[in-house]
Amino acid sequence: MTARLAAMGDALPAVLLAVLPILFIPGLSDLFILPRAGLVVTGAALAAGCALVCGARNSLGPLRWPAVGVALAALAAFAFSASWPLSLMGAYTRYESLPVRLAYLGLFGGAAWLVVRPAWRRTAASAFIAAVSLAGLEAGWQQLSGFSGRPDGNLGNAGLLGALCAMALVLAAGRVRSGTGWLWGLAGLPLSLGLALSTSRSAWLGALAGLGALLALRLRGLWAAAASAALPLVLAAAFLGLLLTPLRQLNADPGPTRLFLWPDALRLVATRPLAGFGEDTLGLVFGRFLSGDYSPGVIFDRAHSAPLDLAAAQGLLGLLAAAWFWSVWWVGVWRQRAVEEVAALGGAWIACAVWALLNFDWAPVTGPLWLLAGLAWSAVRAGAAGAPAPALSPGLSWRPLAAAGLVLVGSAAGVLPLAADTLYYSGRPAAAALVDPL
């Protein structure tokens, strides 16, 4: 039984990375985002349950306490939330709730703890590239079939498609650059197609940043330092090109409006700077801080910048915890950048981070990001000389019970909203409320 669970733990990140970019369920009111958010929570519970029963075969090492800090910051924000129900369940179509924020850590831990074989790390990255390529092809079909609006590859939002394509493009380029997987270069065609059709300017910047970071991570010595120093200049020039040309009006979205939103978001953060207003409550409290009606008819529930949204939700505690976590992660990635696909995974992280600077965390993108980051950390720990022994070992009687409880709670948090949404869509709101009152 334990051996089977260990094998499932090896394969689980690959399964999640194959499904998250393409999962949607017709017959729901929210057929795109809610299924993916549910999968993030359920997948994290399964990963943590496997680690409890089978033992974590890799140690988080220096990331252990930063991970605890991220979890505590999320819990503190929930404790002082402006709306506990909203922070517990998340706003409709957003779902960046406390369970989802903790689930991101669970996904990272699942990939870092459980995936010990390089073949499975490569399989997981391959599954992600293939799935996002399929989403890119779907966007092409939408374009040819007269799809109304921007092609989104059945992600429900074109910006999400652009972010995933940018990340996967960097991974595919890493394989071509290494000379060990040149056939994966063919994936660049549907990925570039999806990236272009998304018309997401932030995703274009993210792809440029990720490819530049991949180059810098693959170099050595002064060349690596020079490439790292030049990359911000290239990005700044590209950003100015988008800002000063007609491309700034490319889509009917909060492009230039961000320049007005961000000062208002800073004023909001300053009113509750320590622990924030709670997860996913920005739409509830943002209105009284807006200094103008920048886009008539548009309700802003996000500051459209991940750091600002995190500061609004979790305050300085959340920002500092995230900075601590990712700084330690990047030290490990930089030191072990020659190991396996660590350089490409680091480049994919940069691609998503640049996109997120102009957008916000959202489960269809943020879930894969944490999984890929966990794969990179698994490779970092494997490549580190004298890596510590596994943090957990199987055999204690309480662990199966704890794992079963965790999986039960996680599955309920992931599945019950789907069941309620199905009932609501079929015209049975009373039954939906009984299934999932919150």
Side-chain angles (χ1 to χ4, degrees), residues 111-135:
W113 284 327
L114 299 173
V115 184
V116 295
R117 290 185 288 177
W120 272 114
R121 287 192 283 267
R122 186 174 177 84
T123 298
S126 299
F128 178 70
I129 297 171
V132 180
S133 297
L134 179 58

Side-chain angles (χ1 to χ4, degrees), residues 356-403:
L357 285 175
L358 300 169
N359 291 279
F360 47 86
D361 285 330
W362 216 353
V365 169
T366 313
L369 171 70
W370 283 83
L371 279 166
L372 293 172
L375 291 175
W377 192 250
S378 173
V380 165
R381 299 300 294 156
L392 298 174
S393 58
L396 295 182
S397 59
W398 61 267
R399 285 185 185 157
L401 293 176

Side-chain angles (χ1 to χ4, degrees), residues 403-414:
L406 183 62
V407 171
L408 182 63
V409 172
S411 299

